[in-house]
Amino acid sequence: DPLAGADYFPQTGHNLSGIFRGYWLANGGLAVFGYPTSEAFSEVSPTDGKEYLVQYFERNRFEYHPENAPPYNVQLGLLGRQELIDRGWLPR
């Protein structure tokens, strides 16, 4: 459902707001990242074992790293590395 103060995408049924919206808009938006495929939520990263606020998109995962100063507080997930680890082609 649409949330107040967020951009709602009926194509996927998800919202985009806050720090992730700012990063998405400033770095190519729909053409680069695609539509959001999740809401923002906390998840343990399989690449470093730390918990981050994340949001998934058709072509990437955004991670919020509050320990970093802007503009480095939003980073892209290491999805390629994660896939190689999951396949056993890289060590954990």
Side-chain angles (χ1 to χ4, degrees):
D1 293 335
L3 298 176
D7 291 338
Y8 177 74
F9 295 88
Q11 297 87 342
T12 59
H14 293 288
N15 296 279
L16 178 59
S17 64
I19 193 142
F20 291 151
R21 181 183 180 274
Y23 185 90
W24 188 84
L25 289 171
N27 292 282
L30 185 61
V32 173
F33 303 111
Y35 293 107
T37 58
S38 77
E39 299 296 307
F41 65 98
S42 293
E43 178 179 66
V44 174
S45 170
T47 55
D48 70 6
K50 296 179 182 177
E51 187 172 321
Y52 298 104
L53 180 66
V54 301
Q55 186 163 8
Y56 282 81
F57 295 82
E58 290 177 304
R59 292 186 281 280
N60 221 303
R61 177 183 68 223
F62 291 5
E63 298 176 351
Y64 176 55
H65 290 257
E67 71 277 10
N68 296 337
Y72 307 108
N73 55 347
V74 174
Q75 296 183 10
L76 302 178
L78 301 175
L79 297 179
R81 177 174 171 70
Q82 181 181 330
E83 181 66 21
L84 294 175
I85 289 170
D86 289 348
R87 291 178 184 222
W89 295 354
L90 284 177
R92 288 201 177 268

